Amino acid sequence: MIKLRLLLSLALLASALHTAPLQAEETYPADGQAPAPLFNEIAAMDTRVFDAFNHCNEPGRLEEHAGYFSPDIEFYHDTGGVTWTRDAMIANTKKYVCGHFTRQLIPGSLKVYPIKDFGALAQGVHRFCQLDNGKCEGAADFAIVWRLRDGQWQITRVLSYGHHALADAQ
């Protein structure tokens, strides 16, 4: 009798799950990406954070760039290793990036996925261009976790991986 009740309960649950679509299925596109307003917001944030990154040798821009990151940022870089704090990450940016190269998002590569009750995940492909010769010789995939807290977006995790030379370096 207990087995029969359990089976009936499971059948009813399965039926309810099958007939009642999840809210997420109604709200988000079929591929799970964020709806347009969230995508546009994260795309705009990506533009701002990397505009500051690309001009970090100008007064105040490195500090502006730093402001987009949580103090306890985790930055995973396939060739550079792991950085565990904003201060260490910004020191590396100052030493290795500012005045040396810029980052460009590959058009059409950005995807944004909502993270329930937290924020969003942005992923895409970026290329790196040398400032001394203007050539864009390297590219990599990235994933950035954005947290929305008290109306403020901050980056909490970054993965930059799959670094490779571009065959058609310009």
Side-chain angles (χ1 to χ4, degrees):
M1 188 65 155
I2 294 175
K3 286 183 183 179
L4 181 57
R5 283 187 200 159
L6 180 61
L7 286 174
L8 286 173
S9 296
L10 288 174
L12 286 172
L13 178 61
S15 174
L17 289 175
H18 179 58
T19 58
L22 297 175
Q23 184 69 19
E25 291 176 350
E26 294 176 48
T27 305
Y28 302 117
D31 61 2
Q33 287 196 58
L38 179 58
F39 177 90
N40 293 339
E41 189 167 8
I42 296 299
M45 295 295 297
D46 183 88
T47 297
R48 288 194 293 272
V49 71
F50 285 103
D51 183 60
F53 175 90
N54 290 341
H55 299 95
C56 61
N57 57 333
E58 297 173 8
R61 298 306 302 267
L62 185 59
E63 294 78 13
E64 177 187 344
H65 178 69
Y68 288 98
F69 296 88
S70 172
D72 61 346
I73 181 76
E74 292 180 15
F75 189 105
Y76 300 88
H77 192 283
D78 60 351
T79 61
V82 180
T83 306
W84 300 103
T85 67
R86 178 173 54 201
D87 290 343
M89 185 198 73
I90 294 303
N92 285 338
T93 301
K94 183 176 183 177
K95 182 176 181 179
Y96 298 111
V97 175
C98 300
H100 302 288
F101 67 88
T102 61
R103 177 261 198 186
Q104 297 177 353
L105 177 66
I106 302 290
S109 73
L110 184 65
K111 294 179 181 180
V112 176
Y113 300 91
I115 300 174
K116 185 179 185 307
D117 301 326
F118 186 82
L121 169 70
Q123 69 178 131
V125 181
H126 46 208
R127 68 177 159 234
F128 304 97
C129 303
Q130 301 298 318
L131 287 174
D132 59 354
N133 63 16
K135 291 186 179 184
C136 301
E137 301 173 318
D141 294 320
F142 68 88
I144 298 174
V145 177
W146 288 89
R147 175 179 59 210
L148 181 60
R149 182 187 285 167
D150 300 326
Q152 192 81 330
W153 286 101
Q154 254 191 346
I155 297 170
T156 62
R157 305 290 180 269
V158 176
L159 288 85
S160 186
Y161 57 96
H163 287 79
H164 61 277
L166 290 173
D168 60 343
Q170 320 160 4

